[in-house]
Amino acid sequence: MRRKVAAGNWKMNGTRASLAELRRIAADHPDCPTEIILCPPATLLIPASEMARGTSVAIGAQDCHALSAGAHTGDISAMQLADAGARHVILGHSERRSDHGETSILIRTKALAARDAGLTAILCVGETLAERDAGRTLDVITRQLGSSLPESARGTDTIIAYEPVWAIGTGRTPSLDQIAEVHAAMRAHLRQRLGPEAEMIRLLYGGSVKPANAAYIFAVDHVDGALVGGASLKAADFAQIIAALSDA
Ligand code: PGA
């Protein structure tokens, strides 16, 4: 039985005042069947980790460098994130792929760095609208997974998020059949590569998950949780998504 995951991605949003939302999430979920992860911007990692200590909320980062130290102005290594209190790191988000030209090969090296630093990677994959319209969705997803997921991936160090690029921040979501098709294909890919360990890896859906659609999405086979952007910024919305997962 895979434990459900509600992961919030604050992206480039939030200042110290926003930590009040984290405080509410932690206070309202003292003991939660769903694993709760919040990924604030790097500037908030240390205060967020301090606030989350001893609660049911784990703190994650949104990216890391592939190397552990060196002359890389502006970058942050996985080891530094762990030192700041992060336990997870989002890797390969489509905004990193498009804004920073990140490739699946680079993302794989970051996943290895994250594992070496003791972080759990939340590895993102997803097709563009043009790729979906061209009927290439499954091909794109399996190729991204094939190049970015290390052979050594384990359920304890890796979570995978399917995030169609066209659904992120748009209010549009795929149909439940479309989500089911991609999640089944991801599980099949994992089984082929990792054998029985494939059953341990949680598969999240991300892209315009809201309180109103969460329960429907979480009823889909092989959806083990959500990676939530906009709706994770407000504790009240995120709490409804956590509740939908806990009931699923
Ligand atoms: P969204 O973002 O929930 O605002 O669509 C999801 C994500 O990018 O992780």
Side-chain angles (χ1 to χ4, degrees):
M1 184 64 183
R2 292 179 293 268
R3 190 175 177 208
K4 300 276 196 282
V5 182
N9 173 11
W10 281 8
K11 310 191 180 187
M12 198 173 69
N13 296 296
T15 57
R16 281 176 292 175
S18 321
L19 293 173
E21 304 297 327
L22 164 60
R23 185 180 288 113
R24 273 184 64 193
I25 288 288
D28 292 349
H29 300 85
D31 204 7
C32 190
T34 296
E35 184 174 342
I36 306 171
I37 304 166
L38 259 186
C39 303
T43 49
L44 296 179
L45 282 176
I46 291 174
S49 301
E50 283 167 1
M51 185 180 280
R53 189 174 302 135
T55 75
S56 59
V57 180
I59 299 302
Q62 300 175 12
D63 177 50
C64 70
H65 196 273
L67 299 176
S68 57
H72 300 286
T73 303
D75 279 313
I76 306 176
S77 74
M79 182 267 287
Q80 291 171 318
L81 297 176
D83 182 59
R87 286 164 47 199
H88 301 75
V89 59
I90 298 171
L91 294 177
H93 191 281
S94 65
E95 288 150 17
R96 298 286 317 171
R97 291 178 190 259
S98 63
D99 292 358
H100 299 272
E102 294 196 5
T103 63
S104 290
I105 302 290
L106 174 67
I107 292 156
R108 182 177 182 281
T109 63
K110 293 185 176 199
L112 292 170
R115 184 204 57 192
D116 290 349
L119 300 177
T120 296
I122 303 175
L123 202 72
C124 302
V125 294
E127 83 285 4
T128 63
L129 192 55
E131 289 164 340
R132 176 162 283 280
D133 287 347
R136 294 185 47 225
T137 299
L138 296 187
D139 179 44
V140 168
I141 300 301
T142 48
R143 272 193 302 110
Q144 287 178 347
L145 273 184
S147 308
S148 60
L149 181 78
E151 296 297 331
S152 57
R154 294 288 169 269
T156 47
D157 60 34
T158 306
I159 294 170
I160 293 169
Y162 166 52
E163 298 207 310
V165 177
W166 52 274
I168 295 175
T170 59
R172 294 181 60 192
T173 53
S175 69
L176 299 181
D177 285 347
Q178 288 171 329
I179 296 174
E181 181 186 38
V182 172
H183 277 244
M186 293 197 297
R187 186 73 69 201
H189 175 94
L190 295 178
R191 284 177 179 148
Q192 202 180 356
R193 287 183 59 197
L194 308 179
E197 189 63 24
E199 312 308 321
M200 310 306 292
I201 295 189
R202 274 85 57 88
L203 303 180
L204 313 186
Y205 168 78
S208 297
V209 175
K210 306 274 181 255
N213 61 20
Y216 300 103
I217 293 171
F218 300 155
V220 173
D221 264 4
H222 299 289
V223 173
D224 303 312
L227 181 54
V228 184
S232 72
L233 293 170
K234 288 273 164 268
D237 290 343
F238 197 42
Q240 288 184 60
I241 291 169
I242 295 167
L245 268 171
S246 301
D247 292 344

